[in-house]
Amino acid sequence: MIRQLKEEGWLRTPRVIRAFERVDRGDFVPRRYRDAAYVDEPLPIGEGQTISAPSMVAVMTELLEPGPGDRVLEIGAGSGYQSAILSLLVKKVYAIELETLLVAQASERLKKVGCNNVEIIVGDGSKGHAEKAPYDKTIMACAAEEVPAALKEQLKAGGILIAPVGGPFMQILTTLKKTGKNRFEEKQHMRCSFVPLRRSPRGR
Ligand code: SAH
């Protein structure tokens, strides 16, 4: 899988490649999908949510330009796979997830593989996590028409935010670089399809 991600150009940076080599995606998918874990496809993880395709995790990780001193806010922890990759590349990851069951599963998996610089928090990520702000980087794994204002506010000057921006079925993977208070430089990268950002857990 890693070889393919490199050949196809999704993975470029040696540090990022090493992180992908060290995290087994098979540890982050439900047991019945283990055989499919190394195929470049999203997979169901329960609660109607999905673990993103490895190439998407690769693109987003590369665009985030993770540095060893960074404190990162992640919205939509899902399986915890992206959090595990980031944990090897940055100082601290605060990952917010709306679904309690997914939080429990992701926390257990991360503990099992020894990621101790990831904090998974139950809640609505559209409000960010003011308590530990500001963040060097922010990564959103769910789609929104607009990047929530709280996430923009809680980003440091010079910081990078990545989000799928658009409607419920198709979005454009977008980078915002904070150039000053309330000033952002926007770059659009590619089409993508993420599950939507919701305000409350499923069925409530
Ligand atoms: N990077 C994750 C992607 C998970 S899919 C992975 O590879 O496993 C996106 C996740 O966002 C889902 O688990 C969904 O429950 C969560 N989500 C949706 N709306 C949210 C919100 N407002 N706050 C936090 N998480 C949210």
Side-chain angles (χ1 to χ4, degrees):
M1 175 181 103
I2 313 271
R3 187 169 8 106
Q4 189 190 334
L5 294 176
K6 283 197 281 190
E7 279 170 10
E8 292 175 358
W10 306 115
L11 283 177
R12 299 163 190 269
T13 315
R15 272 188 89 230
V16 176
I17 295 171
R18 275 199 299 279
F20 270 77
E21 283 166 350
R22 283 176 58 195
V23 180
D24 185 348
R25 190 168 182 257
D27 286 336
F28 292 86
V29 302
R31 192 155 302 140
R32 64 183 178 287
Y33 295 116
R34 278 293 144 83
D35 290 348
Y38 311 106
V39 177
D40 192 15
E41 295 283 349
L43 289 169
I45 53 171
E47 305 293 292
Q49 308 305 317
T50 51
I51 176 171
S52 310
S55 56
M56 189 48 68
V57 179
V59 172
M60 291 178 90
T61 307
E62 291 278 7
L63 287 173
L64 207 61
E65 299 175 16
D70 286 350
R71 292 166 65 258
V72 178
L73 179 66
E74 183 187 358
I75 312 301
S79 66
Y81 177 63
Q82 172 80 74
S83 327
I85 299 272
L86 287 173
S87 84
L88 298 173
L89 295 163
V90 304
K91 189 167 169 201
K92 178 87 188 182
V93 181
Y94 299 94
I96 322 268
E97 170 57 54
L98 201 55
E99 300 291 343
T100 339
L101 184 70
L102 297 182
V103 169
Q105 283 174 359
S107 306
E108 194 181 312
R109 286 171 179 146
L110 288 163
K111 204 168 132 196
K112 209 168 121 196
V113 300
C115 295
N116 45 27
N117 59 345
V118 181
E119 202 174 303
I120 308 231
I121 301 145
V122 189
D124 174 8
S126 60
K127 302 188 185 104
H129 186 52
E131 215 178 301
K132 304 285 179 177
Y135 302 96
D136 299 286
K137 309 282 164 67
T138 297
I139 177 169
M140 257 180 92
C142 34
E145 296 276 357
E146 259 181 77
V147 174
L151 302 185
K152 290 175 157 182
E153 269 162 36
Q154 292 172 21
L155 188 67
K156 263 188 204 168
I160 297 175
L161 183 152
I162 297 182
V165 178
F169 304 110
M170 206 272 288
Q171 308 91 36
I172 306 285
L173 190 63
T174 306
T175 321
L176 298 183
K177 188 160 188 182
K178 193 161 183 171
T179 50
K181 195 171 157 57
N182 263 325
R183 289 169 66 98
F184 294 86
E185 213 173 77
E186 184 178 320
K187 221 187 224 174
Q188 301 187 332
H189 301 280
M190 60 197 275
R191 285 178 192 229
C192 54
S193 180
F194 280 80
V195 297
L197 174 89
R198 287 161 295 123
R199 300 291 160 151
S200 51
R202 284 170 83 229
R204 260 178 258 171

